[in-house]
């Protein structure tokens, strides 16, 4: 999940502050929901007025199919 969090922050565009009209700086990102679709919330802060803005990224669920099914081993006699 850490790799997915890192990849979600690579394509972020910082919003502009509605008060100061300058680009906000990324502050942090965190996983806010894992099921049914993972959602990551990103927080940005204005370096001038300290206003905080949030945006969310929904990630596509990952499905990993097993190569083969597991079977119980038979005990040796």
């Amino acid at each position: 999940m850490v790799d997915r969090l890192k990849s979600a922050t690579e394509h972020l565009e910082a919003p502009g502050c509605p008060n100061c009209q300058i680009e906000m700086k990324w502050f942090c990102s965190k996983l806010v929901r894992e099921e049914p679709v993972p959602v990551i919330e990103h927080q940005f802060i204005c370096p001038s007025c300290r206003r905080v803005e949030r945006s969310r990224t929904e990630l596509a669920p990952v499905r990993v199919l097993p190569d083969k099914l597991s079977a119980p081993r038979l005990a040796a006699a």
Side-chain angles (χ1 to χ4, degrees):
M1 185 50 106
V2 173
D3 293 331
R4 296 181 76 194
L5 180 60
K6 287 181 183 178
S7 67
T9 60
E10 289 175 358
H11 304 290
L12 285 178
E13 290 187 27
C17 177
N19 292 339
C20 305
Q21 304 301 319
I22 60 174
E23 186 176 291
M24 300 178 94
K25 303 292 182 190
W26 175 82
F27 179 68
C28 70
S29 295
K30 63 182 175 180
L31 181 67
V32 292
R33 185 177 70 207
E34 192 165 353
E35 297 292 333
V37 177
V39 176
I40 298 174
E41 182 179 86
H42 311 282
Q43 295 181 5
F44 297 88
I45 191 164
C46 176
S48 178
C49 70
R50 302 289 184 209
R51 181 184 179 113
V52 175
E53 291 287 326
R54 293 174 175 84
S55 68
R56 289 189 170 200
T57 302
E58 288 189 6
L59 301 175
V62 174
R63 305 240 189 262
V64 179
L65 300 175
D67 292 336
K68 57 184 177 180
L69 296 176
S70 300
R73 293 185 177 188
L74 297 177

